[in-house]
Amino acid sequence: MRNWLLPEYVADILPATARQVESAKASMLELFRTSGYELVLPPLIEYYDALVTPEDGALAIKTFKLDDHFSGRQLGLRADITPQVARIDAHLLSQRTGVTRLCYAGSVVHSRPDGLMSSREPLQVGAELYGYAGIEADLEIIRLMLTSLRQIGVEGLRLDVGHMGLFRGLVQAAGLGAELSAEVFSVLQAKDLSTLRELLVDVAEPYRSAFLALPELYGSRAVLDKARTRLPSLPEVELGLMQLAAVANSLEGEVELNFDLTELRGTHYHNGLMFAAYAPGWAEELARGGRYDNVGRRFGRARPATGFSLDLRDLIRILPQNESAKGIKLAANLLPQATIKVAELRARGEKVIVDYLGESAAALNCDRELVKAGENWQLVPFK
């Protein structure tokens, strides 16, 4: 057996790249902190039924299941941190009645990859805002997402925006059952018009025509005016179009905007505005988010919520290069005498490397050497 082999779609991150990833993560968390978002660290495992609802088949497929020998209950290895953060807001921070802003950064594990180039161990970074239902919260999250990507060097961003409320409003008005609704949802995401027509053959007008119109409602903000003539006047449709127009009014000029009324990709918990960031040279979205009001209900408190997340592993190839700082060499035989001086240098942020083998400056990545000069220690160039 080749014990060094890793499972498919799982990979190590080596020193230079790990430094890039950790630096990018730190800069994002600092951005979140200065924007008022508090860091939380949910556990990697918890009870399966806290991670996945029975309705969310897509997330269930991704989630590894484990048997807990302590409780006898089934555990899940988290595939998405957002439900965990919703649990924290609803239960552990239930004394907070106003707006709560939380952020996180950690690994999740997928039983199968999202795509051919995706990892089964994404490094998920994200931010969530609870307690305010207004469009201003969604706009705050969108701007935070765009800033997070720009500060690590992503250029030419495009924002695709959709609204789950349009689909849900049409489903309810048309009286679609759960099974047909799920099929239509899947086909709309694929923009498979021929299959969509077959599925809707028995659906009454004007809802059949409205579902068929959704894949054509794609493009600039002019799409929103077109949607008002193609979709029935339902409360959910009117609210969705109003919120999409608010996004257009607020973000035009800041980022390239694209409206896609079949932009429904996400998980079962999303229920309102949805958005994804794209850039030239990337086949898939770089970050994704949306509104998921009342997910916390099953944890004891229903609250408005919106947020976004991204996978830092997906961004490795463009993360800023961070050269490792040159260190200070210390010959191993001098270490017993230099303990206090080494501690002092390291406390100042210097990298001190003990040389056991008499290695070169290049091998140790050092440009100075700590040497004894009488009773004192000196730093001299090391070549």
Side-chain angles (χ1 to χ4, degrees):
M1 178 181 290
R2 296 180 177 180
N3 292 325
W4 51 268
L5 287 176
L6 292 173
E8 290 182 284
Y9 297 97
V10 175
D12 294 306
I13 298 180
L14 300 182
T17 306
R19 189 166 58 246
Q20 288 176 273
V21 170
E22 286 301 307
S23 179
K25 183 176 78 172
S27 71
M28 286 185 182
L29 291 179
E30 180 62 11
L31 170 66
F32 298 163
R33 184 191 69 79
T34 58
S35 301
Y37 290 76
E38 300 173 276
L39 182 65
V40 292
L41 300 172
L44 187 62
I45 58 172
E46 57 179 290
Y47 293 122
Y48 177 81
D49 53 9
L51 293 172
V52 181
T53 63
E55 302 85 9
D56 199 343
L59 191 57
I61 289 172
K62 286 184 181 181
T63 304
F64 278 104
K65 299 174 185 176
L66 309 165
D67 291 326
D68 184 7
H69 294 174
F70 283 95
S71 68
R73 292 177 61 184
Q74 193 167 65
L75 299 177
L77 202 56
R78 69 181 181 200
D80 183 8
I81 298 178
T82 300
Q84 296 184 291
V85 182
R87 172 182 55 75
I88 289 172
D89 173 73
H91 181 61
L92 299 177
L93 300 180
S94 60
Q95 75 281 5
R96 298 187 181 186
T97 57
V99 171
T100 298
R101 293 174 173 87
L102 301 175
C103 64
Y104 55 86
S107 290
V108 298
V109 182
H110 293 172
S111 61
R112 59 185 66 185
D114 286 335
L116 290 175
M117 303 303 293
S118 299
S119 170
R120 286 203 292 161
E121 190 192 0
L123 178 52
Q124 188 177 348
V125 179
E128 319 290 338
L129 190 154
Y130 299 94
Y132 186 66
I135 192 66
E136 296 86 355
D138 301 276
L139 290 168
E140 177 178 322
I141 285 290
I142 288 171
R143 287 191 169 100
L144 190 64
M145 177 182 76
L146 296 174
T147 302
S148 298
L149 292 170
R150 286 174 178 141
Q151 76 174 15
I152 59 169
V154 180
E155 299 178 349
L157 283 169
R158 185 189 86 232
L159 184 70
D160 275 21
V161 190
H163 203 291
M164 184 68 82
L166 303 179
F167 174 78
R168 291 194 172 188
L170 289 173
V171 165
Q172 184 175 358
L176 301 192
E179 185 176 343
L180 179 56
S181 171
E183 289 182 290
V184 171
F185 182 86
S186 177
V187 168
L188 277 172
Q189 291 180 77
K191 293 182 169 62
D192 183 351
L193 281 172
S194 61
T195 305
L196 185 61
R197 288 190 186 95
E198 292 174 12
L199 290 173
L200 298 172
V201 67
D202 294 324
V203 174
E205 294 291 358
Y207 309 115
R208 180 177 184 276
S209 295
F211 281 117
L212 290 172
L214 288 179
E216 300 173 12
L217 297 174
Y218 175 89
S220 68
R221 71 173 299 167
V223 161
L224 304 183
D225 296 327
K226 188 177 179 182
R228 289 187 175 89
T229 67
R230 302 286 301 275
L231 303 180
S233 181
L234 302 169
E236 297 87 351
V237 170
E238 295 298 329
L239 176 62
L241 293 176
M242 182 180 69
Q243 291 183 336
L244 291 169
V247 170
N249 293 335
S250 183
L251 295 178
E252 269 188 333
E254 290 186 34
V255 65
E256 180 185 345
L257 281 170
N258 186 74
F259 294 91
D260 183 356
L261 300 197
T262 58
E263 174 55 49
L264 304 175
R265 284 178 293 172
T267 56
H268 178 81
Y269 52 71
H270 285 108
N271 68 330
L273 195 75
M274 299 183 69
F275 42 86
Y278 295 83
W282 302 85
E284 300 292 332
E285 73 271 8
L286 301 180
R288 174 172 294 282
R291 182 159 285 278
Y292 57 101
D293 297 334
N294 303 323
V295 166
R297 180 184 287 114
R298 64 195 180 102
F299 302 116
R301 183 167 67 150
R303 294 246 280 171
T306 183
F308 86 93
S309 66
L310 56 83
D311 176 11
L312 260 184
R313 280 181 179 260
D314 279 346
L315 299 167
I316 280 175
R317 67 180 172 91
I318 57 95
L319 293 181
Q321 295 287 334
N322 295 301
E323 294 297 328
S324 177
K326 298 291 184 181
I328 298 168
K329 172 198 165 181
L330 174 68
N333 65 306
L334 295 177
L335 181 58
Q337 307 168 55
T339 301
I340 294 175
K341 184 63 178 179
V342 168
E344 176 190 314
L345 288 167
R346 288 174 173 164
R348 283 164 30 193
E350 293 281 7
K351 179 169 64 176
V352 181
I353 297 175
V354 178
D355 179 18
Y356 296 105
L357 300 176
E359 296 184 76
S360 68
L364 294 172
N365 195 32
C366 291
D367 60 359
R368 289 157 295 162
E369 184 173 9
L370 184 62
V371 298
K372 192 76 181 287
E375 295 299 316
N376 300 314
W377 292 96
Q378 290 184 350
L379 292 176
V380 299
F382 178 49
K383 299 179 180 179

